[in-house]
Each structure stands twice: as C-alpha cells, then as structure tokens.
Amino acid sequence: MDTLECTARSGFDAVPDPRHRTMVASVVDSGLVDEMIALTESFDPPVDLAGARAHADVLTTEFALYGVTVPATTCNITLMRALMVPIADDALALALDRIWVFTTNTDDACCHDPAEAETILRAGALSEQGALSPNTQYIRHMPSLPPARRLPRADPDRHLIRRPPLWRRHRGTMSI
C-alpha cells in the first residue's frame, strides 16, 4: 500500500485488504492490545521532548533552505531517535537527527522516483559530479559530525559519525 496515497478512513475500514482487516480485528478482539497497553502504561523513558522538537524545527528550516521537502513527521522521527538512541551531547544528537530524518525522507523519495535514486547514487559515487538535485545539494552541504578522535575508541557512537555510511545506507536501501 502506498502510504502517500492513503485515503482518510477510520476504524477497521482503514485496512483495505479484507483478510488483513479480519486478522487485525481478531487481534484487537483477543484483548492482547489492551494487555500490551496496560504493561507499557507506566513506561516513562527519560527523553528530551523539547530538544527533539527543537531539532525538528532546525532541520525543517535547514532542509527548506536547500529546497528539500521533508514530511510533517520530522518531529516524530526526532522523537523516535531520542527514545531509541538517547544522547547527552546536543551537537551529536542533532547530527544523528539530521541523518535519521534525511535518510528516511530520501529513502521514501527514492522509492517513488527511480531517477532521484540514481541521482543520489551517482552523486555519492562520483564526487566530481555536481549536486544535481536538492537532495544531493543538501548531502554535499551536510555538516560534518563531531570528529571521531574526540570519542573513546570503544565508544559505539564512534562508528556513527562519518558521512560514508550515509551513502552505503542509500546504496543498500535502493538496490533492494
């Protein structure tokens, strides 16, 4: 199902496949969802909600400067990163938010536009090629992450702070 073309329906009518709709209804009727909600009701992770929202605002403005359209879900993505990968260093947290939001957005764009996928791959593989689209212009602009030498060698964040993984991730995602 193409989520970008989804029509506004509610309840079980929002599930277009009748077999899937029946399965979803049986799960809801089983009470398992209510049990799961009850088990997680007291879950209150330490997350910087204001920081995640501020990062979403910074990124939306930054992307707009390069003509990159990002979805309204940018705040949800920054909140997801804050929950899944809490980071005390604000600069590193913003850098990871930038990568999460941008790659999520470009992955979706490339699924719908093979020409954009090719443009991004060519720009990543052929550094002499100029920036050919707003996405590749932004990739070329994308601020460097904090230097790895400031992180202890055993720090797992050390491997998250280079740009090449951005290109590798796109190559892997778009070749499927």
Side-chain angles (χ1 to χ4, degrees), residues 75-93:
C75 191
N76 295 343
I77 296 169
T78 60
L79 286 171
M80 179 179 68
R81 196 276 315 146
L83 283 166
M84 294 173 68
V85 187
I87 297 174
D89 181 329
D90 193 55
L92 181 58

Side-chain angles (χ1 to χ4, degrees), residues 4 68-71 101-118 120 133 135 170 173-174:
L4 296 177
V68 175
T69 304
V70 291
V101 171
F102 185 73
T103 56
T104 300
N105 183 58
T106 54
D107 179 55
D108 191 51
C110 292
C111 287
H112 297 285
D113 185 358
E116 181 63 14
E118 181 180 352
I120 289 173
S133 74
N135 286 319
H170 278 299
T173 301
M174 293 184 293

Side-chain angles (χ1 to χ4, degrees), residues 4-15:
L4 296 177
E5 301 297 323
C6 186
T7 58
R9 294 181 279 183
S10 62
F12 294 123
D13 289 337
V15 181

